[in-house]
């Protein structure tokens, strides 16, 4: 990608951007690029620097170090009102004294668009977000979901280069959230504007984004497509933050033909595809759904472990078993069940079981994010 | 008004309808106090204004409207005009001086916010009269202001204006500060984000949303300014009379209570007009949920 793209292929580019508040480093030497028309999510736990990153793009905060390039031009020092970027605020920040239509037309009014023209375009924007018939109302008369749509229309109507969204669905109930997630992806597809979307909801990020940047403590741990992030997490943090993960710790005991073995303290041998350094202490992760319970097998078989069942739980079509390995590591196994499922039904707490997985299931995890560039 | 306030308001309304209703007669003591000590003097004033002067310090009650005819005499109409103009100008000056202070306190102070508010109120802890005399020292024709800076305004209407602003500033700052405190600053960010230059964002968002506070504060200072007589008396040296001074003269030296009362009632009616306008404004603001 980077070999083909020029600067202008990116709408937003962070170049080792650092932002401090006193002696707290909110964003720490972060670099990433956002492609034109992309839906990029910034995902991470509370306080990891998502909002700060977004506010630096909008121009409300200035970075202490590094450059922020918007549309190929260094934007540091440019005030928010001169940036071709609009924001959808978490609490919507609709102007309470203006009607819905005037709220949406506000940006165009600042740019000197004529009255009939801006109202015309504001109406179109409200149609795009599917909120019509409420033009003359004040924002306080609308429901949360409707206010959300107004906020979206107000930002989109200006056709910015980049739209920033800071947890825009945070205040909505689950059903409305799901609805708006679909709406947002539809609208983004329709207008083709680059979206940078802040969320701490991994499901939301996985389902909506082209790419996800997983942040932790002011740094980006991993940036990739939802599938990459989910299937090939690079660090234990990413693995743990996105979905559930079983961790096994051990030492690399063999490397051969693009495969490696990790032997745990309890003698379990994990054989997986990939590169590793022999003798190194490592952590591997295996998703609960990639493990399965089998009948007893012989000792010494790779990618198999004996365990004792702690709990068993039915989750409808799935059954979840929590078991403890010989060395005390607890693992979660989630298996599909089909109708009356005798082998699973027979499992009782305390039963010895054998867990197996394929060699493409384990992921080698690093402790700290390594420099990654596409 | 900010959204939060509306939320609070609707929450309050809801709570009110579920809370126990106290019997109305519990207000009787307050109403009695009000009737005796507030409406009483007012009634006496009305009676005075309709009475006839029968000699020095002697009147007979009746229904004599001649005093009101006298009020419309061009000399007195001029004094009325001057008073309302001065009070209006004083209020305007108070807005210009007070708004930036309130804005600075609400926006830029955090730890010292309450301390600043307290300091604003401190002058209220000393007598109005003494403070006005103190102001006289600053404005003195032989003081620093006059001799070193060339600002010699003592005994002019400008001195009166300075006195009005100085004395009533806190009364304006408090409600404006309160409305700025309720201000949701992310709205200003949203405006700049949408391309509003700082001045436009201030005018269209901050000032517009705090307008109810500004109007309340302005009325709160305009009314007492219109009734002022100490400040013009001390700072204009008698050169520049307000209606209040004329009224005071009628009661204190001329002993013409009917005319003094008629002037008072006339002033009250004039000011009621402004209050009516204010109520109109306030209900409009509320109805449209700004
Ligand atoms: N104006 C500020 N002054 C001081 N510290 C700040 C300021 N803004 C943010 N911080 C700190 O910077 C860190 C990152 O904050 P930020 O708002 O970017 O987090 P976030 O990832 O958006 O979190 P959340 O999911 O809770 O919104 C936090 O520790 C926060 O306390
Ligand atoms: Mg945030």
């Amino acid at each position: 990608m980077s070999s083909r793209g020029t600067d202008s292929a990116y709408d937003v580019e962070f170049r080792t951007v650092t932002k401090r508040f006193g002696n707290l480093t909110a964003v720490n030497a972060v670099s990433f690029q956002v492609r034109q028309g992309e839906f990029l999510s910034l995902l991470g736990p509370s306080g990891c620097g998502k909002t700060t990153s977004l506010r630096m793009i909008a121009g409300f905060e200035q970075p202490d170090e590094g450059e922020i390039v918007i549309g190929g031009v260094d934007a540091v020092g440019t005030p928010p009102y001169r940036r071709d970027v609009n924001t959808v605020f978490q609490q919507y920040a609709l102007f309470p004294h203006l009607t819905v239509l005037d709220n949406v037309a506000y940006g165009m009014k600042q740019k000197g668009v004529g009255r009939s023209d801006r109202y015309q375009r504001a109406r179109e924007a409200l149609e795009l977000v599917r909120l019509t018939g409420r033009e003359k109302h004040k924002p306080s008369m609308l429901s949360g979901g409707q206010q959300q749509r107004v906020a979206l229309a107000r930002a989109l109507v200006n056709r910015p280069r980049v739209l920033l969204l800071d947890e825009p669905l945070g205040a909505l109930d689950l059903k409305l959230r799901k609805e708006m997630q679909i709406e947002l992806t539809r609208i983004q597809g329709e207008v083709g504007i680059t979206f940078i979307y802040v969320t701490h909801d991994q499901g939301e990020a996985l389902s909506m984004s082209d790419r996800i940047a997983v942040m932790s403590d002011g740094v980006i741990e991993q940036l990739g497509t939802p599938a990459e992030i989910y299937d090939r997490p690079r660090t234990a943090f990413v693995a743990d933050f996105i979905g559930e993960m079983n961790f096994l710790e051990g030492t690399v005991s063999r490397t051969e033909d693009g495969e490696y073995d990790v032997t745990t303290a309890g003698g379990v041998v994990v054989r997986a595809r990939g590169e590793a350094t022999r003798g190194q202490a490592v952590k591997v992760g295996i998703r609960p759904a990639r493990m399965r319970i089998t009948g007893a097998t012989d000792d010494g078989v790779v990618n198999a472990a004996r365990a004792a069942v702690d709990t068993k739980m039915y989750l409808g079509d799935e059954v979840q078993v929590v078991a403890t390995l010989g060395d005390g590591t607890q693992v979660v196994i989630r298996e599909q069940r089909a109708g009356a499922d005798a082998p699973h039904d027979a499992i009782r707490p305390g039963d010895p079981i054998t867990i197996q997985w394929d060699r493409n299931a384990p992921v080698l995890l690093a402790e700290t994010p390594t420099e990654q560039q596409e | 008004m900010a959204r939060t306030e509306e939320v609070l308001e609707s929450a309050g309304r809801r709570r009110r309808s579920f809370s126990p209703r106290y019997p109305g007669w519990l207000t009787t003591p307050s109403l009695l106090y009000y009737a005796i000590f507030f409406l009483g003097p007012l009634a006496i004033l009305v009676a005075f204004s309709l009475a006839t002067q029968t000699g020095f310090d002697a009147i007979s009650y009746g229904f004599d409207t001649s005093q009101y005819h006298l009020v419309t005499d061009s000399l007195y109409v001029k004094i009325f005009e001057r008073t309302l103009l001065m009070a209006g100008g004083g209020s305007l000056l108070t807005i210009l001086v007070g708004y930036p202070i309130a804005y600075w306190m609400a926006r830029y102070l955090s730890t010292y916010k309450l301390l600043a508010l307290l300091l604003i109120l401190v002058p209220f802890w000393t007598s109005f009269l003494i403070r006005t005399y103190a102001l006289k020292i600053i404005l003195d024709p032989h003081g620093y202001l006059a001799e070193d800076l060339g600002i010699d305004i003592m005994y002019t209407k400008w001195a009166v204006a300075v006195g009005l602003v100085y004395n009533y500033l806190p009364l304006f700052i408090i409600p404006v500060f309160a409305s700025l405190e309720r201000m949701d600053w992310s709205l200003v960010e949203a405006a700049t984000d949408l391309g509003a230059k700082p001045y436009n964002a201030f005018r269209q968002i901050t000032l517009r949303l705090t307008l109810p506070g500004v109007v309340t504060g302005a009325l709160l200072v305009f009314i007492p300014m219109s009734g002022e007589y100490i400040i013009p008396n001390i700072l204009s040296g008698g050169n520049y009379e307000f209606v209040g001074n004329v009224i005071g003269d009628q009661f204190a030296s001329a002993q013409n209570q009917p005319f003094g009362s008629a002037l008072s009632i006339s002033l009250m009616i004039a000011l009621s007009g402004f209050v009516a306008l204010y109520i109109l404004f306030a209900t409009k603001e509320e109805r449209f949920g700004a």
Side-chain angles (χ1 to χ4, degrees):
Chain A
M1 174 74 212
S2 56
S3 55
R4 268 190 298 125
T6 58
D7 262 359
S8 58
Y10 300 122
D11 268 345
V12 176
E13 203 178 343
F14 268 45
R15 296 182 181 153
T16 55
V17 171
T18 296
K19 175 72 191 176
R20 297 185 196 91
F21 294 109
N23 46 22
L24 180 138
T25 307
V27 175
N28 194 355
V30 163
S31 298
F32 66 91
Q33 292 106 14
V34 189
R35 297 166 195 154
Q36 254 171 35
E38 182 174 34
F39 194 125
L40 181 100
S41 290
L42 296 180
L43 175 67
S46 188
C48 70
K50 305 181 296 288
T51 297
T52 306
S53 302
L54 215 61
R55 290 175 60 81
M56 285 193 286
I57 304 173
F60 299 132
E61 306 278 2
Q62 299 296 331
D64 294 309
E65 282 162 38
E67 281 169 54
I68 294 175
V69 182
I70 299 175
V73 188
D74 185 0
V76 174
T78 308
Y81 53 90
R82 282 212 211 94
R83 292 190 185 202
D84 194 7
V85 163
N86 285 123
T87 308
V88 177
F89 293 81
Q90 177 162 16
Q91 298 304 327
Y92 316 141
L94 297 177
F95 306 126
H97 59 299
L98 299 181
T99 60
V100 165
L101 198 63
D102 279 323
N103 261 282
V104 178
Y106 187 86
M108 289 179 287
K109 189 180 174 190
Q110 304 309 312
K111 292 185 183 73
V113 177
R115 198 184 161 81
S116 61
D117 206 13
R118 66 173 189 258
Y119 283 155
Q120 172 65 29
R121 278 167 60 187
R123 282 206 178 81
E124 282 166 17
L126 285 167
E127 258 162 50
L128 177 71
V129 300
R130 302 205 168 131
L131 186 81
T132 44
R134 299 305 206 106
E135 289 85 353
K136 291 272 169 279
H137 290 194
K138 288 286 169 68
S140 59
M141 298 162 131
L142 304 184
S143 73
Q146 291 170 331
Q147 291 184 22
Q148 173 63 65
R149 287 165 196 265
V150 178
L152 195 61
R154 184 178 70 171
L156 276 175
V157 75
N158 307 298
R159 299 287 146 150
R161 179 182 285 274
V162 182
L163 189 73
L164 307 174
L165 304 100
D166 193 354
E167 307 207 25
L169 311 182
L172 305 181
D173 62 51
L174 192 67
K175 187 166 171 290
L176 210 51
R177 252 182 112 98
K178 295 276 176 229
E179 220 176 281
M180 282 305 292
Q181 284 174 12
I182 296 165
E183 281 284 273
L184 272 175
T185 25
R186 170 187 68 85
I187 290 165
Q188 201 250 346
E190 250 171 69
V191 296
I193 291 173
T194 304
F195 276 32
I196 302 181
Y197 188 92
V198 162
T199 178
H200 58 238
D201 180 330
Q202 41 133 333
E204 203 166 282
L206 286 173
S207 63
M208 298 170 78
S209 323
D210 294 321
R211 288 192 305 158
I212 300 172
V214 182
M215 288 186 78
S216 150
D217 253 343
V219 300
I220 292 183
E221 293 257 340
Q222 187 171 355
L223 199 160
T225 63
E228 274 165 18
I229 299 271
Y230 191 83
D231 296 334
R232 296 280 134 197
R234 294 229 174 102
T235 66
F237 173 84
V238 174
D240 201 29
F241 194 76
I242 312 262
E244 248 179 309
M245 186 67 104
N246 294 307
F247 296 108
L248 298 175
E249 283 174 50
T251 316
V252 179
S253 52
R254 191 190 69 105
T255 58
E256 214 178 285
D257 304 332
E259 283 190 343
Y260 61 89
D261 282 3
V262 174
T263 309
T264 70
V268 175
V269 177
V270 179
R271 178 164 297 172
R273 302 218 167 88
E275 303 295 326
T277 314
R278 227 188 127 129
Q280 206 177 29
V282 293
K283 196 184 245 185
V284 293
I286 305 170
R287 295 278 179 208
R290 306 295 296 270
M291 288 182 157
R292 58 182 184 277
I293 298 164
T294 59
T297 36
D298 306 327
D299 277 330
V301 174
V302 300
N303 287 345
R306 285 171 188 280
V309 174
D310 295 326
T311 58
K312 182 183 69 173
M313 200 188 279
Y314 286 110
L315 310 167
D317 287 342
E318 288 182 326
V319 60
Q320 176 177 298
V321 174
V322 178
T324 307
L325 304 184
D327 60 358
T329 311
Q330 215 170 40
V331 294
V332 179
I333 308 113
R334 206 168 296 131
E335 281 200 292
Q336 294 290 327
R337 53 190 291 275
D341 198 341
H344 287 131
D345 289 346
I347 295 173
R348 296 272 174 275
D351 284 358
I353 52 167
T354 300
I355 303 159
Q356 281 195 326
W357 55 89
D358 294 335
R359 66 188 55 183
N360 60 8
V363 194
L364 192 65
L365 301 169
E367 269 315 316
T368 51
T370 44
E371 202 49 47
Q372 43 160 333
Q373 215 69 62
E374 299 137 76
Chain B
M1 265 157 264
R3 201 179 10 237
T4 49
E5 198 191 44
E6 258 165 51
V7 171
L8 285 178
E9 207 178 73
S10 66
R13 206 175 296 141
R14 213 173 302 129
R15 196 170 329 121
R16 220 172 297 147
S17 59
F18 284 110
S19 69
R21 285 180 55 90
Y22 300 107
W25 56 261
L26 284 174
T27 8
T28 311
S30 308
L31 286 178
L32 267 176
Y33 185 96
Y34 178 81
I36 296 169
F37 298 111
F38 190 86
L39 294 181
L42 196 65
I44 293 172
L45 217 57
V46 172
F48 270 170
S49 73
L50 295 171
T52 318
Q53 184 98 5
T54 50
F56 187 73
D57 205 13
I59 54 174
S60 76
Y61 294 102
F63 194 83
D64 180 359
T65 55
S66 63
Q67 303 298 342
Y68 285 98
H69 291 300
L70 200 57
V71 171
T72 58
D73 188 287
S74 71
L75 170 71
Y76 296 111
V77 169
K78 204 168 237 144
I79 294 178
F80 263 97
E81 272 174 17
R82 170 198 286 170
T83 305
L84 294 179
L85 226 62
M86 278 302 284
S91 305
L92 215 66
L93 268 174
T94 308
I95 294 173
L96 292 180
V97 176
Y99 196 92
I101 296 176
Y103 184 90
W104 170 74
M105 290 198 317
R107 188 95 208 247
Y108 296 109
L109 294 187
S110 50
T111 334
Y112 298 112
K113 200 178 270 183
L114 286 178
L115 183 71
L117 201 63
L118 212 67
L119 286 176
I120 295 283
L121 287 172
V122 157
F124 268 10
W125 297 349
T126 38
S127 146
F128 187 97
L129 192 66
I130 291 168
R131 277 185 290 131
T132 307
Y133 273 112
L135 193 63
K136 209 175 163 181
I137 295 172
I138 295 179
L139 298 177
D140 193 273
H142 303 295
Y144 289 115
L145 214 56
E147 300 217 317
D148 298 341
L149 294 174
I151 304 175
D152 185 4
I153 54 172
M154 193 60 190
Y155 303 127
T156 67
K157 61 180 171 189
W158 295 107
V160 178
V162 167
L164 289 176
V165 173
Y166 165 64
N167 271 307
Y168 291 107
L169 195 57
L171 229 49
F172 175 79
I173 289 180
I174 302 299
V176 173
F177 173 76
S179 65
L180 279 162
E181 273 286 280
R182 280 198 304 267
M183 180 75 196
D184 175 4
W185 297 108
S186 74
L187 296 177
V188 180
E189 266 184 2
T192 27
D193 187 76
L194 290 165
K197 294 186 177 67
Y199 168 72
N200 286 337
F202 171 77
R203 195 171 49 84
Q204 294 164 348
I205 309 300
T206 313
L207 191 60
R208 178 60 190 75
L209 288 174
T210 52
L211 195 62
V214 172
V215 173
T216 305
L219 192 76
L220 228 49
V221 299
F222 176 76
I223 300 275
M225 277 180 184
S226 309
E228 190 47 67
Y229 70 99
I230 293 179
I231 293 170
N233 192 4
I234 296 174
L235 296 177
S236 83
N239 290 334
Y240 205 78
E241 283 200 311
F242 275 32
V243 177
N245 300 93
V246 181
I247 295 170
D249 289 345
Q250 298 310 314
F251 279 94
S253 42
Q255 297 296 349
N256 189 348
Q257 279 111 337
F259 185 52
S261 303
L263 278 171
S264 294
I265 302 279
S266 304
L267 184 63
M268 223 181 284
I269 290 168
L271 293 182
S272 303
F274 287 99
V275 176
L277 280 178
Y278 170 74
I279 291 171
L280 221 67
F281 165 82
T283 42
K284 182 170 169 274
E285 281 287 303
E286 211 170 300
R287 176 138 20 99
F288 293 106

